Amino acid sequence: MSKHAHSDPGAEEMGGMDVALPGAESGLVEQPVSARARPIPRISIQAFCENAAMAEILQVAAEDRRLSKVHVAVHMGGIEAAVAHFQENPTPNLVIVESSLPRDHVLMELDRLSECCDPGTKVIVVGHVNDVVLYRDLLRRGVSEYLVDPTEPLQLMEAISNLYNNPETEPVGHVYAFVGAKGGVGSSTICHNAGWALSEQLKTNVVIADLDLAFGTTGLDFNQDPVQGIADALSSPDRLDEVLLDRLLTKCSEHLSIFAAPVVLDRDYDITVAGCDQVIDVVRQNVPYLAVDLPHTWTAWTKSVLVQADEVIITAAPDLANLRNAKSLVDLLRHARRNDNNPRLVMNMVNMPKRPEISVKEFETALDLKAISVIDFDAEVFGQAANNGQMIEELNPRAKSAAAFREIALDMTHRREAQPAKKSSPLAPLLEKLKIKL
Ligand SMILES: Nc1ncnc2c1ncn2[C@@H]1O[C@H](COP(=O)(O)OP(=O)(O)OP(=O)(O)O)[C@@H](O)[C@H]1O
Ligand SMILES: [Mg+2]
């Protein structure tokens, strides 16, 4: 039996517990655990631990972005405490119990637990022995999952995510947030070209959401005259469903649609964290990939999109202000997303003639992050593409940057892994002076 055992779809139901059919994430290559553990819907979880270590793992998981909608209560006392509790109280969607009892004893206790569980409540058992007989007995009793001593919160989150995100019935899309370390560094250009490359390479649906409501360039870049799209969705997020979403999207190619910005200035745009979250959620439920083009502003909702996204792509140009801002962003995101990958760094507009620049290597050491792509300043190709309303690949598939966009798309989807860079930065004293703090 593997350390992380999936439940058997053929297992019978028993008592108040039902059997979940966890689905595997589809994709060309094995995804890292951080990508396999998907955001979990608004459910309630009650856990009954025996050891402080397990309670700690649950606590870390409860604070993770993937469980931000989930209500988690952690108690001590193992299965016995759970039985006592549910004799008096209603059961939540998911009960997690830790048990180090011998096999027969665990089964007996679980039988008692099932008597006080409502139908529909799922149960995950955390044990300390890799016992295949116990595992089978648990599945037969309708336990959804048996985990042997999960040492990482991500393992637990993956197990929960498998129970509630069955791709066959509830597809959950990946969200990639693009942000510039400074204004005008090419973040939108990279978001659009990488999103387009992703849709072409994987032949799968991608939506680009332009959250730069007043000045966004998504419509221009794809040569479209779109409906107001995203502003309508954001102004009444409760109304947004699959049908309305379809009406608000503008189709640019077989697999790419844009959620365009209105780009008019005679109205105010008051985006709320909750509204933005709700819109992204609806898109996520309907499309496999969503690229979010964020403006270079710092508000509660931009921060929330960055913290909640599956991957963050920071674009920086090679100067000091970009370095400082990129460092602040990377530090904040590392802190707020402890169980996630590092943000991805794209260095753009590099090697501009006559301009003194901070080298990519210096950026990488200062941020302790290897750039996934370094794109040269190329006024001719980028200027032409922007003015024609074309992607670089459409204008000139042999351009160096066209290859870079294909690689960024692969990186975002974990088809290539990013590396951390080591060694201390020669700019460390300078950064210290700039007092970059969280
Ligand atoms: N590598 C490059 N070489 C030359 N020009 C580039 C390059 N990358 C982007 N550009 C150009 O720079 C301009 C600004 O790009 P873009 O709008 O994508 O930046 P941004 O970071 O999204 O800006 P904003 O802060 O307004 O959102 C565009 O005209 C674009 O064509
Ligand atoms: Mg932009």
Side-chain angles (χ1 to χ4, degrees):
M1 184 177 62
S2 69
K3 193 162 187 192
H4 176 185
H6 282 301
S7 59
D8 170 4
E12 312 150 13
E13 242 179 68
M14 199 214 81
M17 308 168 189
D18 73 351
V19 179
L21 310 177
E25 167 105 20
S26 61
L28 300 176
V29 291
E30 173 86 350
Q31 302 268 328
V33 189
S34 61
R36 294 199 304 261
R38 314 290 303 127
I40 294 151
R42 218 171 282 278
I43 56 164
S44 55
I45 301 178
Q46 299 230 18
F48 295 81
C49 308
E50 286 184 344
N51 301 308
M54 185 62 211
E56 172 70 26
I57 287 176
L58 274 153
Q59 207 52 52
V60 174
E63 286 161 16
D64 189 271
R65 67 176 173 89
R66 296 170 189 79
L67 270 75
S68 62
K69 296 194 180 71
V70 177
H71 183 265
V72 184
V74 181
H75 315 266
M76 299 307 287
I79 308 183
E80 211 181 317
V83 173
H85 182 84
F86 295 124
Q87 278 166 350
E88 306 289 324
N89 298 290
T91 38
N93 303 91
L94 173 65
V95 177
I96 300 175
V97 285
E98 182 188 15
S99 177
S100 49
L101 296 170
R103 188 193 307 150
D104 290 346
H105 207 144
V106 179
L107 296 175
M108 223 167 63
E109 291 284 301
L110 277 173
D111 286 345
R112 288 181 58 215
L113 179 62
S114 76
E115 278 162 25
C116 46
C117 274
D118 298 334
T121 291
K122 296 183 200 294
V123 176
I124 291 180
V125 177
V126 176
H128 297 275
V129 278
N130 206 342
D131 176 348
V132 79
V133 181
L134 171 62
Y135 169 62
R136 290 211 188 103
D137 282 343
L138 289 175
L139 294 192
R140 226 172 284 132
R141 280 171 158 75
V143 165
S144 298
E145 190 72 281
Y146 178 63
L147 294 175
V148 186
D149 236 348
T151 47
E152 294 290 333
L154 269 175
Q155 249 181 293
L156 186 69
M157 286 188 254
E158 188 193 359
I160 302 172
S161 153
N162 284 339
L163 295 185
Y164 290 94
N165 292 321
N166 181 349
E168 277 171 27
T169 52
E170 304 161 48
V172 178
H174 294 74
V175 178
Y176 303 129
F178 289 77
V179 68
K182 238 181 87 176
V185 292
S187 174
S188 298
T189 307
I190 284 161
C191 173
H192 305 164
N193 279 276
W196 187 84
L198 182 63
S199 73
E200 291 290 308
Q201 288 188 103
L202 300 190
K203 300 278 173 240
T204 180
N205 289 349
V206 175
V207 165
I208 296 175
D210 191 341
L211 285 176
D212 191 349
L213 299 191
F215 301 112
T217 51
T218 312
L220 292 180
D221 284 358
F222 288 100
N223 199 16
Q224 298 284 337
D225 192 11
V227 284
Q228 295 227 336
I230 201 156
D232 290 348
L234 285 166
S235 59
S236 42
D238 289 333
R239 280 183 44 226
L240 188 65
D241 58 12
E242 211 181 317
V243 180
L244 182 58
L245 178 68
D246 227 38
R247 279 219 327 264
L248 296 179
L249 289 175
T250 306
K251 206 167 164 59
C252 297
S253 68
E254 193 187 344
H255 293 292
L256 185 92
S257 300
I258 56 174
F259 219 159
V263 269
V264 290
L265 301 182
D266 57 359
R267 55 185 283 192
D268 297 331
Y269 302 106
D270 298 317
I271 304 181
T272 61
V273 172
C276 197
D277 199 41
Q278 210 170 333
V279 170
I280 289 179
D281 247 18
V282 174
V283 183
R284 185 203 276 286
Q285 294 303 325
N286 289 286
V287 187
Y289 296 101
L290 171 65
V292 183
D293 179 2
L294 287 169
H296 180 74
T297 45
W298 196 244
T299 59
W301 65 267
T302 45
K303 182 177 171 192
S304 158
V305 171
L306 288 171
V307 170
Q308 297 290 334
D310 291 293
E311 301 289 338
V312 175
I313 297 93
I314 301 174
T315 298
D319 67 24
L320 188 58
N322 271 280
L323 178 61
R324 183 201 61 185
N325 298 353
K327 172 94 175 113
S328 307
L329 277 167
V330 169
D331 284 352
L332 177 117
L333 292 171
R334 277 193 179 131
H335 182 77
R337 299 159 54 92
R338 282 173 217 197
N339 303 310
D340 282 278
N341 293 315
N342 277 318
R344 317 264 154 165
L345 172 70
V346 175
M347 294 298 305
N348 191 28
M349 304 183 170
V350 175
N351 295 322
M352 188 193 276
K354 296 208 165 128
R355 179 176 69 177
E357 293 181 358
I358 293 177
S359 75
V360 172
K361 216 167 171 354
E362 281 172 312
F363 259 79
E364 290 180 337
T365 13
L367 304 182
D368 189 17
L369 188 66
K370 194 153 171 45
I372 58 163
S373 188
V374 178
I375 302 174
D376 281 343
F377 180 81
D378 185 343
E380 197 181 338
V381 166
F382 281 82
Q384 187 81 52
N387 287 345
N388 292 358
Q390 277 183 307
M391 294 295 102
I392 305 281
E393 174 101 36
E394 293 174 298
L395 179 78
N396 178 4
R398 286 197 307 279
K400 256 172 83 186
S401 50
F405 293 126
R406 289 192 293 269
E407 285 180 0
I408 293 171
L410 291 184
D411 259 309
M412 282 163 17
T413 49
H414 299 285
R415 269 111 180 131
R416 233 168 51 128
E417 261 314 308
Q419 313 281 324
K422 285 273 150 352
K423 288 185 287 200
S424 82
S425 165
L427 290 172
L430 183 57
L431 289 169
E432 188 58 31
K433 258 202 215 141
L434 292 168
K435 291 215 179 323
I436 295 164
K437 280 199 192 121
L438 276 178

